[in-house]
Amino acid sequence: MTGGNAERGAGPTVQRAAALIDAGRPADALADLAVVERDQGASVAGHRVRALALLALDRPDEAQDEARRAVGLAPTDSVALRILSTTLVRSGDQTGAVAAARRSVEADPGSWLAHLAVADALWLDERRRPEALRASYETVRLAPLEPMAHRRHGDLLLAAGRQRDAQAAYRRGLELAPEDRGARHNFAVSRLRRGHDGESALAFAGILATDPTNALARRNLVVGVLNPLARIRFGLGAGALMTGFQYLVSLDAPSDTGRWYTTLPPVIGLALVVVVVLRFAAETRPRTGFLVRAARRAVPGWTTTVGVLGAATAVSVVGLFLPPVAAVVAQGLVFVGVVVASVRIRSTMRAFPKTTPVRQEVDEGRTDHGDDGWGNPW
């Protein structure tokens, strides 16, 4: 996103080009800049915006050249140095990225974006991530009312595995900017990673309701609604296996002992099922119906998997009241259902393998913050 500082001193054409990048039209921005540079010559602001347009087009080497030209014209321009650091981060040049970011801080020590550029650059090296987090804390100290500062701080904490601290950062950012979809998404990811499947799935479903093409939200919704089914599958499967094993062991024992062994394991498995279902319902209430509808649309085979596990649960309950031999047969049917559900869950998880925090959303419309989602100004 452009922000005022990237356009300071720029002509109207450069400002319009920056707005085009914000609107997701970087190619049009380059075309406009080509016209103004032909008529008026190159400028620091023009090179900066060209670099960011090229980054948006995934042309980091060309973007780096433009950023270097901007720095060449204005060696102490903090914005140009931050953009150069971003291009170097994209190319994996950690040493150069850190050096450019530190020069940006020297040029403007009070800029939280400059400190965040340092954090992003340091993050490339695992050994320097504690130092990166210190730089991230400095961004929050300098900009306590900037939602993006808290969001990016949360992103780094999330990447470091500090889920609770990340959630606190996201909550603060969302208090300042409740409409920030990126912060909402990543907060839900942090909750999902701490086992709050229903709560996070509901958040992802809400994002999809307003942005049906959001692939990251869809992938994470899949994980959020399949995790509870995987736990139910485990409880039923463990109960069925233990029933069969214990029944075989008890064949030479008195009949009342055999009855005990065909009842206790399924009861334990069903207790786990009840806990999973109640927790999921508690986290999604009163919007459970909305989440179910979203899961039906977004998750391949979700309805079938739920139906199979529901039938297996019903058979397991019925088996509690059957004679030992019939109870073992019932648990065998339960195990078949668990296998079918496992195959379906595995195939879906393979297509949507992991939770993913969002790094950038080009359509957030947050031009007032001067940030493109990586903590770098447009």
Side-chain angles (χ1 to χ4, degrees):
M1 284 166 266
T2 54
N5 58 356
E7 303 168 22
R8 194 172 298 145
T13 304
V14 173
Q15 294 178 8
R16 184 170 63 250
L20 286 170
I21 299 173
D22 280 348
R25 298 167 56 190
D28 292 340
L30 288 177
D32 273 13
L33 288 170
V35 172
V36 73
E37 288 177 358
R38 183 190 62 204
D39 296 338
Q40 302 176 14
S43 66
V44 175
H47 284 305
R48 291 189 313 216
V49 176
R50 280 181 64 86
L52 290 160
L54 290 164
L55 277 176
L57 292 169
D58 198 23
R59 293 157 61 181
D61 292 339
E62 296 174 67
Q64 187 177 140
D65 292 339
E66 290 295 332
R68 289 191 185 281
R69 291 188 183 102
V71 172
L73 291 174
T76 60
D77 185 275
S78 180
V79 176
L81 288 163
R82 289 201 303 268
I83 295 172
L84 176 59
S85 179
T86 298
T87 65
L88 293 167
V89 166
R90 289 280 198 97
S91 64
D93 182 357
Q94 194 254 353
T95 301
V98 171
R102 291 199 187 283
R103 287 174 60 193
S104 178
V105 170
E106 291 173 3
D108 188 359
S111 169
W112 68 272
L113 286 168
H115 289 276
L116 188 54
V118 172
D120 281 342
L122 289 169
W123 197 262
L124 292 175
D125 185 346
E126 290 187 8
R127 297 168 298 180
R128 304 185 72 177
R129 288 184 175 176
E131 188 179 354
L133 284 174
R134 287 195 293 273
S136 181
Y137 276 107
E138 183 67 9
T139 68
V140 174
R141 186 189 70 80
L142 289 169
L145 299 181
E146 276 287 355
M148 187 60 72
H150 293 282
R151 171 181 162 181
R152 289 295 294 119
H153 183 50
D155 290 346
L156 294 177
L157 290 166
L158 183 63
R162 294 171 54 178
Q163 311 292 344
R164 288 186 178 179
D165 292 338
Q167 289 172 34
Y170 291 135
R171 283 193 180 99
R172 179 55 179 154
L174 288 169
E175 288 173 1
L176 296 168
E179 76 286 353
D180 187 342
R181 286 183 295 147
R184 281 199 290 126
H185 181 283
N186 289 359
F187 176 72
V189 168
S190 68
R191 297 294 287 169
L192 179 56
R193 291 181 179 179
R194 288 190 63 83
H196 295 277
D197 302 302
E199 175 189 332
S200 58
L202 193 57
F204 297 130
I207 293 171
L208 280 175
T210 58
D211 183 10
T213 63
N214 191 318
L216 289 177
R218 183 169 185 260
R219 172 163 50 188
N220 292 331
L221 171 63
V222 168
V223 176
V225 297
L226 286 185
N227 275 350
L229 298 185
R231 296 189 183 100
I232 291 172
R233 172 204 61 181
F234 173 80
L236 293 174
L241 283 175
M242 287 302 297
T243 295
F245 175 75
Q246 295 287 12
Y247 181 74
L248 291 175
V249 170
S250 66
L251 285 177
D252 296 331
S255 59
D256 58 338
T257 304
R259 177 66 180 168
W260 175 255
Y261 284 159
T262 59
T263 302
L264 181 60
V267 166
I268 295 174
L270 289 168
L272 176 60
V273 171
V274 170
V275 169
V276 171
V277 171
L278 289 179
R279 182 180 182 187
F280 191 82
E283 289 189 352
T284 59
R285 193 181 61 229
R287 303 188 70 201
T288 307
F290 163 75
L291 179 57
V292 168
R293 291 189 294 273
R296 285 174 177 169
R297 291 191 299 268
V299 184
W302 186 81
T303 302
T304 302
T305 304
V306 171
V308 169
L309 289 175
T313 301
V315 172
S316 185
V317 171
V318 170
L320 298 178
F321 305 98
L322 298 176
V325 175
V328 172
V329 173
Q331 290 304 315
L333 294 175
V334 170
F335 188 74
V336 171
V338 166
V339 171
V340 172
S342 296
V343 171
R344 299 198 66 89
I345 290 172
R346 181 181 292 271
S347 64
T348 305
M349 285 289 201
R350 190 177 293 118
F352 303 92
K354 57 186 176 181
T355 60
T356 309
V358 63
R359 290 285 290 175
Q360 179 190 32
E361 290 191 345
V362 297
D363 59 346
E364 287 178 7
R366 296 168 57 79
T367 56
D368 56 311
H369 296 297
D371 191 280
D372 69 351
W374 280 284
N376 301 292
W378 285 98

